[in-house]
Amino acid sequence: MKISDELHEEIRKSSSVMVRSINAQAEYWIKIGMLAEANPGLTFSEIVRAQMQHADVDIKKIVGG
């Protein structure tokens, strides 16, 4: 996939903050974007929450709540 140099640089910077590889960061943004387009009534937080539930992640166990 060909992306602009400017977008590649933003992905690179974001990947370091999010502790992901450049490819993993791009894949994450692509997946979230696809889910947002398929579910226009959901917020970003709702999309992430649904994905966590789908993966059977128990946030309360992680944060001790």
Side-chain angles (χ1 to χ4, degrees):
M1 163 172 59
K2 176 67 178 145
I3 61 172
S4 70
D5 291 340
E6 293 83 10
L7 180 56
H8 185 273
E9 181 62 14
E10 295 306 310
I11 295 169
R12 185 195 64 73
K13 290 188 290 188
S14 295
S15 71
S16 67
V17 172
M18 301 304 291
V19 192
R20 298 181 177 120
S21 69
I22 292 173
N23 285 346
Q25 183 65 38
E27 288 175 12
Y28 175 76
W29 280 351
I30 290 167
K31 180 177 181 177
I32 294 296
M34 290 175 65
L35 289 167
E37 283 187 347
N39 301 281
L42 297 180
T43 66
F44 170 77
S45 295
E46 291 167 335
I47 290 169
V48 171
R49 186 178 312 114
Q51 291 299 296
M52 292 290 194
Q53 288 173 345
H54 181 71
D56 200 29
V57 174
D58 188 346
I59 298 296
K60 291 178 184 174
K61 286 182 182 177
I62 296 170
V63 296

